[in-house]
């Protein structure tokens, strides 16, 4: 697989921010004009790089490492012996991993269904039909926090259909939660994990914003906010077990920084596609159009950062998904769930392709490289 296959369609004109391990440890890189620049002598981490140079500042050239296409970058399923000389890592390091939930009408209804079905996929089929009859497409035209939203809330309460998920979907406050610990995200071409004891789960293809320590949105990437529908469906208080597990978060392949070729409006209009290919020959295709999001990306970033909460090293913010697969994979009425070996591709032309292979969290490579390990690595390389 050539590297150009997973990059934005106009990648040689883009400014791409990421991390690559050339053999010594995580190294922040910029890709400009199709060439890789080692930025570690300018800033030891991508968080430091974004904080050192504001949105309108010219970032100096780093050490030239040659054309990106010349690097031998392979996914783990093509590098079983670990012989590849370089590894593409998740393009975040010290940033907090945040996520916005229930930001699309379709996924909102699926969260309500999960809650009422208590994690039972068969029961969900009946509840989905009931909600469709009672609510139709009302949520799609509701402005969260508006008077119209308040009236809809009153009507749903009267009908016995209100849910905590609807509160964050159309109420004044968005759901913003911590997806996982700093440095825990997987990158392109790596495994992504679901718990072995989960029997109803799915990928969540999303756009991820990159924000610096001042809360400014600097760029975007693709993400997979893996979800365990049975765990969260049993109780919303199990959100941490549904979301924060080994290898359960993926971001990549690079963050595309805002410049003359790419802006927040490109995020707002992005069409995000998903393709799942299983070893059992099962294929599932889906898409999410960011224009259908219920809250603007800038509003979500503003609810994550402000007087109430700051992130001095910046944060990455998953914007949510409208994709909630209900296509039956095995028995009728059982819907979709992952199987080990599923290949998951999340893509959009301006951001490229994020591809990962599903395994179980206990079989994924244990996460051992934390903040103290990063500090020791950078210090040992003379970068601190």
């Amino acid at each position: 697989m050539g590297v150009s296959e997973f990059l934005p369609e106009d990648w040689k004109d883009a400014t791409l921010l990421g991390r690559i391990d050339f053999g010594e440890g995580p190294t922040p890189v910029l890709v400009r004009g199709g060439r890789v620049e080692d930025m570690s002598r300018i800033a030891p981490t991508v968080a430091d790089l974004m904080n050192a140079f504001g949105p309108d500042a010219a970032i100096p050239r780093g050490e030239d490492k040659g054309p990106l296409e010349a690097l031998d970058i392979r996914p783990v399923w093509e590098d079983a012996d670990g012989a590849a000389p370089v590894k593409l890592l998740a393009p975040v390091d010290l940033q907090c991993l945040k996520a916005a939930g229930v930001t699309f009408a379709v996924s909102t209804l699926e969260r309500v269904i999960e809650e009422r079905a208590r994690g039972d996929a068969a029961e969900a089929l009946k509840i989905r039909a009931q909600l469709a009859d009672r609510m139709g497409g009302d949520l799609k035209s509701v402005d969260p926090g508006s008077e119209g939203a308040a009236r809809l809330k009153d009507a749903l309460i009267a009908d016995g259909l209100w849910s905590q998920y609807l509160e964050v979907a159309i109420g004044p406050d968005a759901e913003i939660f911590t997806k996982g610990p700093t440095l825990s995200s997987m990158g392109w071409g790596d495994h992504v994990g679901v718990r072995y004891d989960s029997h109803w789960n799915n990928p969540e293809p999303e756009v991820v914003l990159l924000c610096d320590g001042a809360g400014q949105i600097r760029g975007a990437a693709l993400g997979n906010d893996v979800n365990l529908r049975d765990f969260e469906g049993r109780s919303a208080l199990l959100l941490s077990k549904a979301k924060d597990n080994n290898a359960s978060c993926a971001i990549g392949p690079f963050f595309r920084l805002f410049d003359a070729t790419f802006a927040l409006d490109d995020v707002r209009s992005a069409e995000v596609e998903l393709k799942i290919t299983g070893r059992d020959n099962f294929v599932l295709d889906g898409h999410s159009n960011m224009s259908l999001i219920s809250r603007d990306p800038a509003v979500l970033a503003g609810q994550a950062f402000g007087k109430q909460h700051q992130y001095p090293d910046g944060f990455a913010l998953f914007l949510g998904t409208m994709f909630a697969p209900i296509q039956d994979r095995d028995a009728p009425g059982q819907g979709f769930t992952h199987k080990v070996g599923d290949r998951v591709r999340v893509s959009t032309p301006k951001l490229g392709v994020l591809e990962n292979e599903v395994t179980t969290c206990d079989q994924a490579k244990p996460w051992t490289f934390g903040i103290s390990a990063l500090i020791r690595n950078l210090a040992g390389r003379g970068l601190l």
Side-chain angles (χ1 to χ4, degrees), residues 8-24:
E9 59 183 6
D10 57 343
W11 69 278
K12 289 189 176 180
D13 297 321
T15 304
L16 305 178
L17 171 68
R19 294 191 308 149
I20 293 177
D21 186 346
F22 294 100
E24 296 181 322

Side-chain angles (χ1 to χ4, degrees), residues 141-154 169-173 295:
S141 59
V142 176
D143 182 19
S146 67
E147 292 183 4
R151 288 194 296 270
L152 177 58
K153 176 178 178 178
D154 290 340
I170 65 176
D173 298 308
R295 301 179 199 262

Side-chain angles (χ1 to χ4, degrees), residues 148-170:
R151 288 194 296 270
L152 177 58
K153 176 178 178 178
D154 290 340
L156 290 170
I157 290 174
D159 287 344
L161 290 173
W162 188 247
S163 162
Q164 58 196 335
Y165 292 104
L166 291 168
E167 176 63 46
V168 295
I170 65 176

Side-chain angles (χ1 to χ4, degrees), residues 81-92:
D81 59 358
V86 296
K87 181 176 177 58
L88 184 62
L89 306 173
V92 289

Side-chain angles (χ1 to χ4, degrees), residues 125-319:
L125 192 64
K126 294 186 292 184
I127 297 171
R128 187 175 296 111
Q130 294 169 358
L131 282 171
D133 288 341
R134 300 296 293 274
M135 298 182 64
D138 287 347
L139 287 183
K140 298 178 183 177
S141 59
V142 176
D143 182 19
S146 67
E147 292 183 4
R151 288 194 296 270
L152 177 58
K153 176 178 178 178
D154 290 340
L156 290 170
I157 290 174
D159 287 344
L161 290 173
W162 188 247
S163 162
Q164 58 196 335
Y165 292 104
L166 291 168
E167 176 63 46
V168 295
I170 65 176
D173 298 308
E175 179 191 19
I176 307 289
F177 61 92
T178 299
K179 167 63 181 178
T182 297
L183 287 175
S184 66
S185 179
M186 312 303 288
W188 171 91
D190 216 325
H191 287 116
V192 66
V194 296
R195 287 177 60 118
Y196 73 88
D197 50 353
S198 170
H199 306 291
W200 187 24
N201 49 67
N202 61 264
E204 292 194 347
E206 305 185 19
V207 174
V208 185
L209 297 181
L210 176 66
C211 299
D212 61 23
Q216 301 172 105
I217 305 172
R218 305 295 300 276
L222 292 167
N224 185 354
D225 177 17
V226 182
N227 186 46
L228 309 183
R229 302 190 68 181
D230 45 4
F231 274 71
E232 189 175 359
R234 281 164 36 212
S235 170
L237 297 181
L238 292 175
L239 179 66
S240 62
K241 287 195 173 183
K243 290 291 189 179
D244 181 7
N245 299 293
N246 186 35
S248 65
C249 174
I251 304 175
F254 293 91
F255 273 107
R256 182 168 186 172
L257 299 183
F258 292 156
D259 58 17
T261 69
F262 183 68
L264 189 57
D265 280 344
D266 292 296
V267 172
R268 294 183 173 113
S269 62
E271 181 88 4
V272 179
E273 297 191 0
L274 172 72
K275 187 177 186 69
I276 302 172
T277 306
R279 293 175 181 172
D280 57 354
N281 296 319
F282 175 87
V283 177
L284 187 147
D285 292 289
H287 66 277
S288 297
N289 193 307
M290 289 296 296
S291 67
L292 298 177
I293 198 168
S294 59
R295 301 179 199 262
D296 187 77
V299 171
L300 291 171
Q303 289 214 15
F305 183 98
K307 293 181 180 179
Q308 309 294 346
H309 211 314
Q310 300 82 43
Y311 299 95
D313 293 306
F315 60 99
L317 177 64
F318 283 75
L319 293 178

